[in-house]
Amino acid sequence: MNAIRYTIVPKNAAAHLFEVSLTVTAPDPSGQRFVLPVWIPGSYMIREFARNIVTLQAFNAAGKKIAVEKTDKHAWVTAPHDGPITLRYEVYGWDMSVRAAHLDENIGFFNGSSVFLAVEGQADAPCIVDIQKPAGARFAKWRVATALPEARGTKRYGFGKYEAPNYDALIDHPVTLGEFVLGSFDAHGAQHDIVISGRVSSLDMRRLEVDLKRVCEAQIALFEPRTKKAPVARYVFMTVAVADGYGGLEHRASTALICNRSDLPVTGRPDMTEGYRTYLGLCSHEYFHTWNVKRIKPAVFAPYDLSQENYTSLLWLFEGFTSYYDDLMLVRSGVITVTEYFALLGKTIGGVLRGSGRLKQTVAESSFDAWVKYYRQDENAANAIVSYYQKGSLIALAFDLSIRTQTAGKKSLDDVMRLLWQRYGRDFYDGKARGIEESEVEALFAEATGADLKKIFRDGVHGTRDLPLEALLEPFGITLAADIAANGTAGKPSLGARVRSGADCVLAAVHENSAAQKAGLSAGDVLVAIDGLRVTGSNLDTLLSRYLPGAKVEIHAFRRDELRVTQAKLDAPEVSRYVLSIADQRGATKPYRERWLNG
C-alpha cells in the first residue's frame, strides 16, 4: 500500500498557524473522504478539533485545484478524480495543554489527532510526515522532540521526515518544537529521554534522570519480573513548564506533560518538595499507562472510533488502578518515603469521602458517563458524581489488601496486572490487538489470585458503599483516622463550601446539606460580610476560626447584583484528609506491609 505523505510547518507563529499538506497517491476515484478525530484517546470528551482548521484546498498532481466539500463537522470529500490528490490546509494552534496544538514564538506542540486528517479507507497505510523548520533567524535553535521513528536521513531531534506504520501510530506520538533542555537515562535496556520546554532556572536534570530511572525500572519489573523487558525500545517524557499548569496525556511511547516550573527540581536543593513529588507522581501515572490503557485496553478501544464517544464502564480499572500505582511506584522505587506515601494516600481518602456524589454514582457509572459528566464538571459535581480516578485508586487499594490478606501474601494486585499484560497487552501491537470485555474482568481477577473479591466488586465497583479501608489496613499493622488538624484548622467550623481564589470571596461550590446550602447560599454568590465584618478571598478561615461549630452567624452576600442577608449555623470542621499510621513495628503484620510497599 502506498504511503500517505504529510508535511507540517509552523507557518506563522505570531498568528499561531500550522500549514499541513497531505498527499494521497491512490485516492478513491469516486471521491476521497478525509476526516479529523473529534477526540483524543486518554481525554474522554468530544473536542471537535476540526473547528481549528481555518482554510482547506485540494489539488491534483499538476497543482490545479480540485473541488472539495465539507460534508459534516469533521469530514471533507473531494470531487471524483483519478490520480494523486494533495490537501493543503491551515490549523490554528492556541491550546496550551497536552490535548491539541499550540504555536507561538517560543514553542510549538501538536498531537496528530488535531492536525493530521485521516484518509478514509486507508487507515492501515504507512505514513511519512515531514516536520519542517519555521522560517526566520529567531527559530535557528529550534529542534524536534518526538517518539516517532526517524526516516532515513533524519537525525534524532532534527527537522525532517518521520514515519509511522499506520494512521493510529501517527497520531499516537505527540511532537514538541522549540528550544528545550534534554536529559536521558537507560531503564532496563530501554532509552528514556526527558525533554523540558519553557524557562526553568537551575534545573537539576541529573536528579530528574536518577529519580525517573528508579520509577521506570520499578514499573518495568512489575510487569516483566523475569525478563525486565520494557514495552518500548525508546520512551520520551515531554514537559512544558509554565507559571501555573498541570496535566498529562499518555501515548504508546511517550507522554505529554505540563507543570508549574516551580515543581521541577533545583540544583543544590535535595529536599523533596510537594511540587516535585506531584510532578514525579504525574510522570509515574502517565508511564504506567504505557501498559495499562495503551496496550491493555477495554475491548471498545480496540480499535478506537475517533468519530464519536466510545463508552466503557472500565475507566475505574484503567485510570483508577493507574492512579493507585503511580504513587505506589514512587515509594517502591525509594523516591519517596513510606510516610510521604501515607500522606498522599490519606489525602486521596479524604478527597473521596468529602464528596456526597460517591453515595449516588458508582465508579462503573462514572466511567461510562465520563464524556458528559466527569470531563464536564460544574459547581454541583461533588454532590453528584464520583471520580473514577480517586475512588478507582482506593478500589485498587482494597483489592490489593484483600488479595494479600486472603492469600497470606502469596498473591497481590500485581498478579492481576501481570495477567492482564500477558493476555491482552504484551502482543497488542504485534497483530493481536484484543481488548478485555467488561464481562471478563471479575473472572480474570479470580483466576490471577484465587481470592474472593465479589464483595468489593459488588459494593465498591457496582455499588456506592464506602470501602472498609480501616478493616483492610488492620492486618498490615496500619491505623486510619480522620485528620481534623489538617492545614492547622483543628476545631475551625466550616460553611461546607469551596471558595474561588481571588480578592473577593466567591463561592465555587456548595456541598450538599452543608451550613452554606441550608442558609440558601449557592455557587457564584459573593460573601461580603460575616456578623458585620468584611469577608475577602483570603480571610474567611480567619473569621470562622473565631467561632465554635454550631454557632450562628449573619452573612451578607451578593447574588448577581442583589444583596442577600441570611443566617448560617456553622458545621463541624471539615475532614480533608486521613492519617495512616503504623501501629506495630514487628510481628506477623510486618512482612505483609513490607511486601506491599516494597513490591
Side-chain angles (χ1 to χ4, degrees), residues 218-365:
Q219 294 194 18
I220 294 168
L222 185 152
F223 285 99
E224 295 284 0
R226 185 177 62 84
T227 66
K228 305 292 195 301
K229 183 180 179 181
V232 294
R234 175 173 174 255
Y235 189 91
V236 184
F237 291 94
M238 293 188 292
T239 300
V240 178
V242 296
D244 184 21
Y246 176 85
L249 193 62
E250 68 273 5
H251 297 275
R252 67 178 67 182
S254 62
T255 179
L257 309 165
I258 189 167
C259 75
N260 293 357
R261 57 176 56 90
S262 59
D263 291 346
L264 295 170
V266 179
T267 301
R269 297 179 184 172
D271 55 312
M272 175 60 73
T273 66
E274 181 180 354
Y276 184 45
R277 186 166 54 242
T278 298
Y279 175 74
L280 288 175
L282 177 63
C283 291
S284 180
H285 182 97
E286 304 306 336
Y287 190 68
F288 198 85
H289 273 316
T290 312
W291 293 268
N292 195 36
V293 94
K294 293 313 299 182
R295 287 163 175 82
I296 309 166
K297 298 175 183 276
V300 72
F301 289 176
Y304 299 111
D305 180 354
L306 297 177
S307 68
Q308 61 183 354
E309 296 91 340
N310 293 190
Y311 293 102
T312 175
S313 296
L314 294 179
L315 293 183
W316 60 269
L317 170 57
F318 291 95
E319 291 292 354
F321 279 33
T322 300
S323 296
Y324 171 63
Y325 275 103
D326 55 18
D327 289 337
L328 185 60
M329 288 295 103
L330 296 186
V331 71
R332 284 187 181 178
S333 64
V335 170
I336 66 172
T337 66
V338 171
T339 300
E340 289 172 319
Y341 174 64
F342 282 175
L344 293 171
L345 194 52
K347 184 177 179 181
T348 300
I349 294 170
V352 171
L353 295 181
R354 196 161 61 241
S356 61
R358 77 188 196 283
L359 303 175
K360 301 167 186 174
Q361 185 188 51
T362 71
V363 290
E365 293 167 341

Side-chain angles (χ1 to χ4, degrees), residues 144 150-162:
V144 177
E150 303 87 1
R152 181 174 297 180
T154 299
K155 295 181 179 180
R156 183 152 294 174
Y157 295 104
F159 287 90
K161 293 183 173 62
Y162 292 79

Side-chain angles (χ1 to χ4, degrees), residues 391-427:
K391 188 174 180 182
S393 72
L394 297 185
I395 289 171
L397 171 65
F399 276 129
D400 203 2
L401 299 179
S402 294
I403 295 166
R404 291 174 185 274
T405 301
Q406 289 186 39
T407 64
K410 295 177 182 178
K411 295 288 184 178
S412 71
L413 191 63
D414 297 355
D415 293 286
V416 175
M417 300 311 301
R418 282 192 280 266
L419 183 57
L420 283 167
W421 171 243
Q422 293 160 11
R423 186 163 297 170
Y424 298 98
R426 185 183 282 158
D427 301 320

